[in-house]
Amino acid sequence: MTNNRNITFHLLLAAQFALIAAGMFANIKTGLFSTAVILLLTIICLIQLSNDERTDWKPGQNTMTWLFLVWLMYYVLEALNPNNVMAAWNINLAPYALIPLICAFVVPVVVRTKKDIELLLIIWSVFVLIFTLKGYWQKNHGFSSKDLYFLYALGGARTHIIWSGIRYFSCFSDAANYGVHATMAAVTFAISAFFVDSKWKRLYFLFIAFCGIYGMGISGTRSAMGVLMGGMLMITIIAKNWKALLAGIAISIGVFCFFYFTNIGSGNQYIHKMRSSFHPTEDASYMVRVENRQRMKELMARKPIGYGIGLSKAGNFNSKEQMPYPPDSWLVGVWVETGIVGLILYLAIHGVLFAWCSWILMFKVRNKSVRGLVAAWLCMAAGFFIAAYVNDVMQYPNQLPIYIGFALCFAAPHIDKRLSEEKEKEAREKKEEELVSTQETDEQP
């Protein structure tokens, strides 16, 4: 039964990535279809867990679960928004509310060992390889007919074939989503590589991190730098090590100085694109966003609960009122859709999560390997939310690794406790064996 609950949960993880990979061959609507898949596999997993006598439900009853139950209640109340469109509300149910809540409850119950964490990474790594190969193929062998349709029939060329070169998007909806996801993988696997026992896993994880950096580069996504910088700074804090802290600060300052004060490598289109993210006031598109947000502020003053779920982008649904300016950022999108009330609640929930999870890793988990593996996910999440302020990147499948990362922090103390108990048991058995051996020696004539 233990294997069954693992298989079902990992199928849930793989299915969400597979939906993106399948996008290479067909147009797949991830909204209602993915919601149905998530609910089906979650129900099966919970049934299997309930039939397993060894299942401990207590880890699932954690702070993260209660926080996202509150968020789910607010999401349900948004259905009463006078401007609400139920089709948009239904499509956004999974990414907005279901995935965080399911991860919060199921992950700490299912993930019980360090090997379970490593298995999550291995499953993710398979899809990172697929996404990287697709990006490599686009860059070196050209676009498929489906890619060309996106570029020229749907207008993707306007933002993907620009003055600085071509921005490659692999299997994703756009280059920004791909670049941020690739950088999320780079941060997670680079940190994890230093906390696995096997030499081959370490090399493999470093290779996956390199694939992530490659994907970040060819995507030309400036917001991905936020993931990288945020992840680096977060690990120095959680490490509780002065050397690591000083090294992290030094590297961060070095990266900042390289991009901000020098022109080294600007002849390369990707380095030039990344460097522009350190000079936002010189970027016309950034200044347009700043102006749009000022205009939005005037409109949002009379919308305390927002325009409605899924209605931040005008034209997608026929609502009574529409926001005339594009949000161009996930957090701005949350503000437009759920209002200042929803944004404050959303930021408060995630602020509490980051603080609580950091405290757990720093003071409740003694095993360095477990702490490092889980910290990798939390650092990735910290960097992601920096990018989420700059760009609309909370799209499939990014929600899954983000909220699995938070949930693993609540699983970590229980994994750490089991490891401590196993060590104590081994020490007792060894001591008993030595005692028996000593007695037998003394009894010999």
Side-chain angles (χ1 to χ4, degrees):
M1 190 60 67
T2 301
N3 289 334
N4 287 341
R5 53 92 184 167
N6 264 331
I7 291 169
T8 304
F9 177 73
H10 290 104
L11 276 175
L12 173 60
L13 173 65
Q16 302 309 302
F17 290 127
L19 285 175
I20 300 301
M24 287 188 286
F25 311 104
N27 289 320
I28 297 174
K29 300 294 183 182
T30 56
L32 291 175
F33 181 73
S34 60
T35 302
V37 172
I38 289 168
L39 286 174
L40 177 63
L41 291 175
T42 302
I43 290 168
I44 293 171
C45 186
L46 290 173
I47 290 171
Q48 290 170 342
L49 286 166
S50 64
N51 291 328
D52 184 357
E53 294 178 357
R54 291 170 293 179
T55 298
D56 181 8
W57 296 101
K58 189 175 288 186
Q61 301 166 30
N62 55 62
T63 304
M64 182 179 174
T65 301
W66 303 124
L67 286 172
F68 280 107
L69 276 172
V70 173
W71 178 247
L72 178 63
M73 289 169 62
Y74 185 80
Y75 188 91
V76 171
L77 289 174
E78 273 289 339
L80 303 177
N81 189 317
N83 200 46
N84 182 61
V85 176
M86 281 311 297
W89 190 95
N90 290 333
I91 287 170
N92 286 277
L93 178 60
Y96 248 115
L98 280 187
I99 288 178
L101 186 57
I102 288 169
C103 288
F105 184 78
V106 176
V107 170
V109 176
V110 172
V111 179
R112 302 173 183 175
T113 66
K114 194 176 85 167
K115 286 185 178 179
D116 287 341
I117 301 173
E118 292 176 357
L119 185 56
L120 289 173
L121 288 166
I122 289 168
I123 290 171
W124 186 11
S125 73
V126 171
F127 290 96
V128 174
L129 286 172
I130 294 171
F131 302 151
T132 304
L133 287 171
K134 173 62 176 175
Y136 172 84
W137 190 268
Q138 284 180 336
K139 185 177 187 303
N140 294 280
H141 299 280
F143 294 107
S144 67
S145 57
K146 185 177 176 298
D147 297 334
L148 291 171
Y149 180 80
F150 162 72
L151 290 169
Y152 297 106
L154 300 180
R158 185 174 57 85
T159 53
H160 289 76
I161 301 177
I162 55 178
W163 60 270
S164 61
I166 300 174
R167 300 175 64 208
Y168 299 97
F169 49 92
S170 184
C171 314
F172 289 73
S173 58
D174 55 64
N177 196 19
Y178 172 49
V180 166
H181 186 87
T183 316
M184 288 163 62
V187 170
T188 309
F189 284 93
I191 296 172
S192 298
F194 295 96
F195 296 98
V196 289
D197 300 327
S198 165
K199 175 186 174 183
W200 296 110
K201 278 182 187 172
R202 184 174 296 112
L203 291 173
Y204 177 64
F205 283 3
L206 288 173
F207 173 69
I208 297 299
F210 171 78
C211 289
I213 293 294
Y214 174 80
M216 168 185 151
I218 65 172
S219 73
T221 303
R222 290 171 293 186
S223 52
M225 288 299 296
V227 182
L228 202 61
M229 298 293 288
M232 287 166 54
L233 289 172
M234 190 70 177
I235 191 61
T236 61
I237 297 169
I238 296 175
K240 289 201 308 180
N241 184 305
W242 280 107
K243 290 181 180 178
L245 179 62
L246 293 173
I249 292 172
I251 292 171
S252 299
I253 291 172
V255 171
F256 177 81
C257 291
F258 172 79
F259 282 105
Y260 191 83
F261 294 110
T262 78
N263 291 314
I264 299 170
S266 287
N268 181 287
Q269 60 175 319
Y270 303 115
I271 294 177
H272 180 78
K273 186 78 173 175
M274 295 301 169
R275 179 165 279 123
S276 67
S277 64
F278 288 81
H279 300 274
T281 55
E282 298 174 12
D283 181 42
S285 64
Y286 174 79
M287 297 311 295
V288 169
R289 292 183 188 189
V290 172
E291 291 173 8
N292 282 344
R293 287 172 191 175
Q294 287 300 318
R295 297 189 184 106
M296 286 179 187
K297 194 174 180 180
E298 296 173 8
L299 295 173
M300 291 303 297
R302 57 185 178 84
K303 292 282 185 182
I305 59 171
Y307 277 76
I309 301 295
L311 303 178
S312 58
K313 297 175 184 175
N316 288 351
F317 298 93
N318 293 321
S319 56
K320 296 175 185 175
E321 295 183 78
Q322 294 187 345
M323 168 58 73
Y325 309 108
D328 290 323
S329 157
W330 167 248
L331 293 179
V332 172
V334 172
W335 173 45
V336 171
E337 294 182 6
T338 66
I340 189 64
V341 176
L343 180 63
I344 289 172
L345 180 61
Y346 187 85
L347 293 177
I349 286 171
H350 289 82
V352 170
L353 272 180
F354 275 115
W356 203 291
C357 291
S358 299
W359 180 80
I360 288 172
L361 293 180
M362 292 172 72
F363 302 109
K364 299 287 284 183
V365 181
R366 291 176 293 175
N367 187 284
K368 288 184 179 179
S369 182
V370 172
R371 184 168 66 237
L373 285 172
V374 176
W377 293 77
L378 186 63
C379 292
M380 169 268 292
F384 174 85
F385 275 97
I386 294 174
Y389 173 71
V390 179
N391 217 323
D392 183 12
V393 291
M394 186 66 88
Q395 301 180 42
Y396 274 97
N398 293 345
Q399 299 96 341
L400 216 57
I402 292 298
Y403 292 108
I404 284 176
F406 284 125
L408 284 175
C409 294
F410 292 94
H414 301 281
I415 297 171
D416 183 69
K417 184 180 177 183
R418 290 186 193 101
L419 287 172
S420 297
E421 289 173 352
E422 287 174 7
K423 283 185 179 180
E424 289 173 5
K425 185 179 177 182
E426 288 175 5
R428 282 198 307 271
E429 289 175 351
K430 187 176 180 181
K431 192 173 182 180
E432 288 172 1
E433 288 176 2
E434 289 175 353
L435 186 61
V436 170
S437 178
T438 303
Q439 290 174 347
E440 288 176 350
T441 304
D442 292 341
E443 290 173 359
Q444 289 179 0

